[in-house]
Amino acid sequence: MSRNVTILGAGLVGSLLAIILRKRGHDVTLYERRPDMRAAHMSAGKSINLAMSARGWKALDLAGLRAEMEPIAIPMYGRYLHQPDGQTAFQPYSKNNEAIYSVSRGELNKKLMTLAEENGVNIHFEHRCTQVDVPNNALRLAHNGEEHVVTTDLLFGADGAFSALRASYTHMDRVNSSQHYLEYGYKELAILPGANGEWLMEKNALHIWPRGKYMMIALPNTDGTFTCTMFMPFEGEVSFSKLQTEADVHKLFDEQFADAKALMPTLIHDFFANPTSSLITTHIFPWHYKDRSALIGDAAHAIVPFYGQGMNAGFEDCTVLSGLMDRHGDDWATILPAYERLRKPNGDAVASLALTNFVEMRDKVADPRFLQRKKIEKELGTRYPHQFISVYEMVSFSHIPYSTAIQCIQAQDRLLEQVMAEGDFFDNIAHDSFCDRIGHWVADYHKAVQQLDFG
Amino acid sequence: MSRNVTILGAGLVGSLLAIILRKRGHDVTLYERRPDMRAAHMSAGKSINLAMSARGWKALDLAGLRAEMEPIAIPMYGRYLHQPDGQTAFQPYSKNNEAIYSVSRGELNKKLMTLAEENGVNIHFEHRCTQVDVPNNALRLAHNGEEHVVTTDLLFGADGAFSALRASYTHMDRVNSSQHYLEYGYKELAILPGANGEWLMEKNALHIWPRGKYMMIALPNTDGTFTCTMFMPFEGEVSFSKLQTEADVHKLFDEQFADAKALMPTLIHDFFANPTSSLITTHIFPWHYKDRSALIGDAAHAIVPFYGQGMNAGFEDCTVLSGLMDRHGDDWATILPAYERLRKPNGDAVASLALTNFVEMRDKVADPRFLQRKKIEKELGTRYPHQFISVYEMVSFSHIPYSTAIQCIQAQDRLLEQVMAEGDFFDNIAHDSFCDRIGHWVADYHKAVQQLDFG
């Protein structure tokens, strides 16, 4: 039976979900707060490039968009570290030469919207949902200064961290929720191309300038530019509040980011023209109401961007929902609770992984011991390909549930501590007795991991 | 300089705050969502009696209400435990015969409202604040189906867990917030008086029927009744969801609450007529906006009722604010940040204490080892009155900050474990060497506690 389905938010997740539902024959209407980005001038200066990884690609397959996206997705095979003195180091993400992909959020979103419309989805722009009567699935929509109410059979809130459906859920009895901001803000900056449009740094990497309490990253774009993002505390010794004058910005970049600064002719303009934005993590439970409505993507689990998993997690929500439709057809009284049961622990896990990765990126990656550990992880993965997969690989290059990956962290830390306590790994590895011991430890680790639920 | 002050909520905290501000010469207007409870029929079946303790009385002194409240406040000197087999035990709250006081929420609220009006406060009933424009201190108020906007110099949100000012704060950038419901609900029941209006159980105690995963409590009223409250999981083996028929309720009470049931002729009616209500804990930060507005009482820190500290904590907010007005006059740009700095850690601490005390009340108080510990605590307090005060006494019978009291828990647990590991305390105490050792331990404990901030 085809349903009248309404989706709030025509962002990445809402547009993809619309395509998936439309392909199953439902009537799908999308309401989007903003104007049509395909017509309007894109507001720049407040977007972090997407890092598309396995979970994202899998969902694009569902929409049939992989072939169209691949040519404009730039593979990044590892982290490219920049020290204050100009020294650099490359740290591959995987033992198998796997990559995460730099993708333009705007381009991907436009393609998804167009594909949704081509499939028969109605998108209403500049329609802001102000309130949802949850038990009755009645939406109050503001458009051109007037409000009207529409009702729907089935409703999805794909309307981001400040979702109207999420807000309406929180006013109901026994709905738990939280919103927590980092003490850090971020600001978008730019590295420009060379005279012939060429990339002026290694194109196929995610660049990081780790500085302990703050950091800058840069992701490549197809036009030869890099989008840089500076993450820094709002207040404190080195902070956005301390960068008030052009001289302040020059001084910081001269001292800490000299190699990048040489490639940033628009630095001062960008720094003062672009906003300083905040970073939020949200939790909510439940994620659904009976067989009537559910939250998806950031509306269910807004996370910080440091694992590059926000879009990937939202797209995986769509993949899981699609799988449940395969199994349960149109039985939404079964699908929605099952979706919540499968995805809520993963939303919590990816939120936690993202927060933890910030510390790794801004601080630990500059630590020689950490770099050594990463090399050992790669070697272990090569020697024991079926028994040892790093947590980073689980998250970025597999479909192992986030909640399983996060449970491996402790055991993996213990394993690496054991190995590293024995002294220099790459010397020791020449000795059979050392290899034997490692073999046992890895086998023990593998046994422990196998107890976990791999979804 | 007198200010135009608006307070949202004419509950206990809002009414008391209005009196305090009015006495300092400010123009004070109160908006209350509900009808005037002094005229309307009180909605019963959804209130837990108040347990007034030191912090509450101190704030009533500020309003000059102690003398009027004392005759209608019933002292409770300890917990009166009821086991399933009918056995009982009494557990005093303090070594000094101190009490917490059972007070009718409705009576206290009415007196506070009347006193506020007598002092010149304007109370507007049935005015619901739907939204606050925080930077402009502009309130949208709904009354008789129409909305109007008023602005004010200074605004306080004393409008409870679901505060309109709190909600408007949460929509601002970098405001952290959470709401978390217990998996437990509560239902009000009643124990009726004897034929001559007499109390049919010990009047001067807080009665508890601890049953591990659930419990009932009863507090005395001046009319010979006791207000009972059943706390029980919503779902699970013994839960509200399992109590569907009269037979279900009879069976549970026959097996677990036989002594109380004999005094509850209206049990079945009450059980099915009264609602099952939920229990929420909320956090938010910040608590204030510039020199314009602040949250107070449950609006800043809604907590569960298991330490009897909700009203006491809200009243202490008023006491602290009053002290800051003494010191800083009308300098709200100093007062509001100082209020937040002083009270936020205490709001967090009392929220945590209240959650922890639930486990103690429903489960631990039935444990003989726990009862033994309480006796030892009392004896230690008698022997070392200046060095040993129990955490319960700090919370209920002192003005030591909640955040300090909570920091004593671990040290106190360690001390009692040391003492109890030596075998039977009341045998050992006859030996000088044991007393010496205890003396040293208590002195060590006292030294550790003195490092803490006593506000």
Side-chain angles (χ1 to χ4, degrees), chain A residues 207-366:
Chain A
H207 294 263
I208 311 186
W209 291 258
R211 296 294 180 267
K213 297 280 182 202
Y214 58 102
M215 71 170 179
M216 185 167 77
I217 66 170
L219 277 78
N221 300 310
T222 50
D223 63 359
T225 63
F226 290 84
T227 302
C228 302
T229 313
M230 174 70 82
F231 296 95
M232 190 175 268
F234 285 107
E235 307 291 337
E237 206 181 337
V238 181
S239 65
F240 283 116
S241 74
K242 289 280 161 63
L243 298 170
Q244 293 294 331
T245 67
E246 295 189 7
D248 296 336
V249 177
H250 277 298
K251 183 162 184 291
L252 178 75
F253 275 76
D254 285 339
E255 288 175 12
Q256 296 291 339
F257 307 102
D259 60 345
K261 189 173 187 250
L263 315 176
M264 301 172 84
T266 58
L267 169 64
I268 296 297
H269 171 268
D270 294 347
F271 195 92
F272 292 101
N274 289 343
T276 306
S277 305
S278 53
L279 296 156
I280 195 170
T281 302
T282 68
H283 292 90
I284 185 163
F285 191 83
W287 282 14
H288 85 288
Y289 179 80
K290 298 188 176 175
D291 63 344
R292 314 298 317 270
S293 63
L295 300 170
I296 191 163
D298 285 356
H301 48 79
I303 66 177
V304 293
F306 304 109
Y307 224 119
Q309 286 295 316
M311 170 270 290
N312 288 287
F315 276 16
E316 195 175 57
D317 292 341
C318 295
T319 310
V320 168
L321 206 47
S322 178
L324 289 167
M325 289 185 251
D326 290 342
R327 203 172 319 157
H328 303 292
D330 200 36
D331 176 8
W332 293 97
T334 299
I335 294 171
L336 294 186
Y339 159 74
E340 175 185 284
R341 197 169 53 247
L342 288 168
R343 294 305 292 165
K344 167 66 177 167
N346 290 305
D348 290 344
V350 74
S352 172
L353 286 163
L355 285 165
T356 309
N357 216 44
F358 185 28
V359 182
E360 181 165 321
M361 287 178 82
R362 70 173 202 252
D363 197 0
K364 287 198 201 154
V365 290

Side-chain angles (χ1 to χ4, degrees), chain A residues 27-279:
Chain A
D27 288 330
V28 181
T29 307
L30 258 174
Y31 293 102
E32 168 56 45
R33 190 169 49 83
R34 287 161 295 197
D36 189 346
M37 59 163 72
R38 294 166 300 183
H41 174 70
M42 269 286 282
S43 68
K46 203 185 158 177
S47 69
I48 300 175
N49 284 45
L50 297 173
M52 174 95 69
S53 52
R55 298 166 211 261
W57 286 116
K58 183 172 176 183
L60 283 192
D61 279 336
L62 279 183
L65 264 184
R66 182 192 283 262
E68 205 174 329
M69 285 308 298
E70 267 176 352
I72 55 169
I74 302 175
M76 301 181 287
Y77 296 100
R79 293 165 173 165
Y80 198 102
L81 308 182
H82 299 251
Q83 302 294 4
D85 62 5
Q87 280 197 58
T88 61
F90 180 74
Q91 201 183 94
Y93 282 130
S94 121
K95 56 191 181 261
N96 304 319
N97 212 30
E98 286 160 306
I100 60 176
Y101 292 79
S102 179
V103 168
S104 155
R105 170 184 292 269
E107 286 310 307
L108 177 57
N109 207 147
K110 288 177 192 174
K111 281 185 197 298
L112 285 166
M113 282 178 181
T114 299
L115 187 60
E117 286 177 340
E118 285 168 4
N119 278 277
V121 172
N122 289 310
I123 311 184
H124 299 281
F125 293 94
E126 299 177 66
H127 279 68
R128 185 168 64 87
C129 179
T130 56
Q131 206 189 325
V132 181
D133 170 354
V134 177
N136 296 309
N137 255 10
L139 324 171
R140 185 171 288 277
L141 292 159
H143 176 62
N144 278 343
E146 290 185 10
E147 289 209 334
H148 63 287
V149 173
V150 301
T151 60
T152 184
D153 295 337
L154 180 60
L155 172 66
F156 288 97
D159 46 346
F162 304 101
S163 165
L165 183 58
R166 178 184 187 279
S168 296
Y169 276 7
T170 63
H171 295 141
M172 299 175 69
D173 194 30
R174 295 173 63 200
V175 171
N176 294 335
S177 69
S178 70
Q179 61 181 48
H180 187 83
Y181 285 87
L182 279 195
E183 303 289 310
Y184 284 72
Y186 71 91
K187 191 183 281 284
E188 193 174 308
L189 303 167
I191 284 177
L192 298 193
N196 303 311
E198 74 276 22
W199 289 272
L200 292 179
M201 299 189 304
E202 168 59 46
K203 172 191 173 189
N204 292 116
L206 190 152
H207 294 263
I208 311 186
W209 291 258
R211 296 294 180 267
K213 297 280 182 202
Y214 58 102
M215 71 170 179
M216 185 167 77
I217 66 170
L219 277 78
N221 300 310
T222 50
D223 63 359
T225 63
F226 290 84
T227 302
C228 302
T229 313
M230 174 70 82
F231 296 95
M232 190 175 268
F234 285 107
E235 307 291 337
E237 206 181 337
V238 181
S239 65
F240 283 116
S241 74
K242 289 280 161 63
L243 298 170
Q244 293 294 331
T245 67
E246 295 189 7
D248 296 336
V249 177
H250 277 298
K251 183 162 184 291
L252 178 75
F253 275 76
D254 285 339
E255 288 175 12
Q256 296 291 339
F257 307 102
D259 60 345
K261 189 173 187 250
L263 315 176
M264 301 172 84
T266 58
L267 169 64
I268 296 297
H269 171 268
D270 294 347
F271 195 92
F272 292 101
N274 289 343
T276 306
S277 305
S278 53
L279 296 156

